[in-house]
Amino acid sequence: MFAEGSHTFTDIAKYLHKFELGRKNGKPLHINEIRQILSNKFYVGIMFYNGEYHDGNHKSFVSKELFQKVQEEMQRRSKHFKKSYHFPFLGLARCSECGAAITAEQHIKFYKTTNRKVTYVYYRCTKKLGPCSQTPITNFEMEEQLRKVVSDVVLPQSWADQWLKFLERDELVEKQSSGTTIQNLKTEIQDLDRKQNTLLDSYLDSVVDPETYKSKKNEMFETKLKLQEEIVKVEETGSSWLEPMRNFVNCALQAQKIARAKNNCEELAFFAKRVGSNFFLSNRQLSAEHKKGFAALRAGGGARSASTDSIDFSLLVA
Ligand SMILES: [Zn+2]
C-alpha cells in the first residue's frame, strides 16, 4: 500500500496497530520505525551480516519487486524533506544568561515589490529555564563568530613543517631507545632460562633437594613474568604520544582552510567542536573554550609573535 503512493507512514503505523503490531507498550510504531522496516532488506530475504548482504534462507514477507517499489517511493518522498532548511549550528551553544539551550528558527518573508521570498535564519535562547533578556543572532553572525573560534587556532605551515620534522626525529630516537630496552630485557630472560636449566640439572643430579628446587624455580618463574610484562609495557608506551601529536598538528593546519572556505557551515560546526568546547552566547557574542593544546596555540598568539621553542610540547597533546 505504501508503494502505491496513497498511504503515509502514519497510515501504515495505524494499520499495523489494528493488528496489534506495534511497540511493546501497545503504542503504534513511530514513523521512523516504519521507515526503517520498509528499508530493511531482511524482509525480502536478504540479510545484512558481517558488513555484507547475503541471501537469507528465511521465508520472505515481500517480493523483491515490491521491495524495490517501496524504496523508490521512499526516495521520492524524502525529496520533499530535503527542501526544508537544515540548521548546522543547532545544539552547539548555550545561553550564558540563563543556561538554556540555543535553538534555531527560520522566518520566510515575502517581498511584494521584487516578488521574492527570502528566508532568514536565527539562533536564539529557548528561554525554557525562566525569564531571559537575550536577543536572537542571525546565522551569518553565528557563522562569522565561529570562523573566528576556528581561525584562532591556526598553525602556520612553516611551524607545522618544523613540528612534523621534530616528531619524526623524536619517533626515531624513541624507537631506538625502546628497541635497546627491549633487547636488554630479552637477554635477561635468556639468562634466566639458562639458570633454570642448570637448576633442573642440579635437581636431577640430586645436588639440590626438592624443597630448594621448588622455591628457586618459583622465584625464577616470577622474575621471568615480570620481565615479560616489562617488555609489553615498553612496546605499548614507547611512542604513544607521537600519534596524537601528529593528529593535532594536522588538525591545526586544517583550521586555516576550514576557517577560510565558503559554504562549509556543517564542516565548520564539526571542526569548532573538535577544537573547542563550552560554547556560550552572550549579548549576541559567541564565546568558547579552546581544548587543551589548541588553547596553547591560541595563547601563543597564533604564531605570529612567539617562537617555536616557547611552546611546551607536552601541553599540546590533546
Ligand atoms: Zn537565555
Side-chain angles (χ1 to χ4, degrees):
M1 58 186 184
F2 181 83
E4 289 159 10
S6 57
H7 291 81
T8 65
F9 290 123
T10 321
D11 290 335
I12 294 172
K14 280 184 195 154
Y15 177 80
L16 290 172
H17 193 227
K18 239 190 267 175
F19 293 94
E20 293 185 337
L21 288 165
R23 294 193 209 177
K24 281 183 192 140
N25 60 12
K27 284 192 177 154
L29 290 163
H30 188 262
I31 59 162
N32 282 338
E33 291 171 304
I34 300 283
R35 198 173 297 161
Q36 214 170 15
I37 290 170
L38 288 174
S39 56
N40 191 341
K41 288 189 165 62
F42 186 81
Y43 298 103
V44 279
I46 299 168
M47 283 195 293
F48 192 70
Y49 177 73
N50 238 349
E52 280 177 87
Y53 285 113
H54 298 275
D55 264 328
N57 291 323
H58 65 282
K59 212 173 148 216
S60 313
F61 289 176
V62 265
S63 71
K64 283 183 189 176
E65 291 74 32
L66 180 60
F67 180 77
Q68 199 54 44
K69 258 178 140 179
V70 170
Q71 300 316 304
E72 281 161 19
E73 179 65 19
M74 287 222 284
Q75 275 217 317
R76 193 184 67 80
R77 292 195 195 184
S78 74
K79 277 181 192 149
H80 294 288
F81 285 108
K82 275 177 195 157
K83 275 185 189 165
S84 66
Y85 188 82
H86 181 72
F87 305 103
F89 308 133
L90 200 61
L92 185 81
R94 304 192 79 79
C95 171
S96 73
E97 185 180 326
C98 69
I102 298 293
T103 187
E105 60 186 35
Q106 61 173 341
H107 295 290
I108 298 167
K109 211 169 166 184
F110 182 72
Y111 292 94
K112 266 188 192 164
T113 45
T114 50
N115 195 27
R116 265 181 61 214
K117 263 198 275 183
V118 179
T119 308
Y120 295 95
V121 175
Y122 297 97
Y123 289 87
R124 61 162 182 85
C125 176
T126 52
K127 307 195 177 181
K128 273 188 177 160
L129 299 176
C132 174
S133 66
Q134 295 289 313
T135 50
I137 169 175
T138 69
N139 60 329
F140 301 114
E141 288 173 294
M142 188 82 162
E143 183 183 335
E144 201 189 304
Q145 295 184 20
L146 217 52
R147 287 194 189 280
K148 174 88 176 64
V149 171
V150 171
S151 67
D152 270 350
V153 301
V154 159
L155 174 69
Q157 186 73 50
S158 58
W159 277 44
D161 289 345
Q162 202 174 358
W163 285 9
L164 289 173
K165 227 180 273 169
F166 284 157
L167 268 176
E168 246 168 66
R169 188 197 58 194
D170 286 355
E171 194 167 34
L172 207 72
V173 172
E174 200 122 353
K175 254 189 197 151
Q176 280 167 348
S177 82
S178 70
T180 317
T181 314
I182 289 169
Q183 198 45 55
N184 289 341
L185 289 167
K186 280 183 177 165
T187 312
E188 271 185 69
I189 289 176
Q190 277 171 4
D191 283 350
L192 212 58
D193 283 340
R194 259 194 299 275
K195 277 182 195 158
Q196 241 171 347
N197 257 327
T198 318
L199 180 71
L200 182 62
D201 287 342
S202 322
Y203 172 63
L204 292 174
D205 293 343
S206 301
V207 179
V208 173
D209 63 281
E211 275 304 306
T212 315
Y213 170 72
K214 221 175 171 181
S215 81
K216 273 274 170 203
K217 194 186 131 195
N218 284 343
E219 202 180 292
M220 283 180 183
F221 185 75
E222 270 173 39
T223 315
K224 195 175 165 180
L225 263 187
K226 271 184 198 146
L227 289 170
Q228 280 166 337
E229 268 174 22
E230 195 73 16
I231 289 178
V232 173
K233 232 199 240 164
V234 173
E235 278 172 344
E236 275 176 357
T237 56
S239 51
S240 59
W241 66 278
L242 290 161
E243 212 37 49
M245 180 65 198
R246 191 167 280 134
N247 284 340
F248 167 78
V249 172
N250 288 327
C251 185
L253 259 184
Q254 241 184 315
Q256 206 158 11
K257 286 177 198 151
I258 285 168
R260 277 190 197 161
K262 289 190 171 76
N263 300 320
N264 65 336
C265 289
E266 294 279 343
E267 195 180 26
L268 188 66
F270 178 79
F271 201 81
K273 276 183 250 176
R274 231 177 122 184
V275 302
S277 61
N278 290 330
F279 291 88
F280 279 104
L281 264 182
S282 169
N283 298 320
R284 303 169 65 207
Q285 281 299 312
L286 185 73
S287 67
E289 244 171 63
H290 283 87
K291 285 184 185 163
K292 207 174 159 190
F294 295 107
L297 251 192
R298 193 172 177 246
R304 286 168 285 276
S305 51
S307 79
T308 322
D309 301 330
S310 67
I311 297 274
D312 177 3
F313 274 98
S314 66
L315 254 177
L316 294 168
V317 182

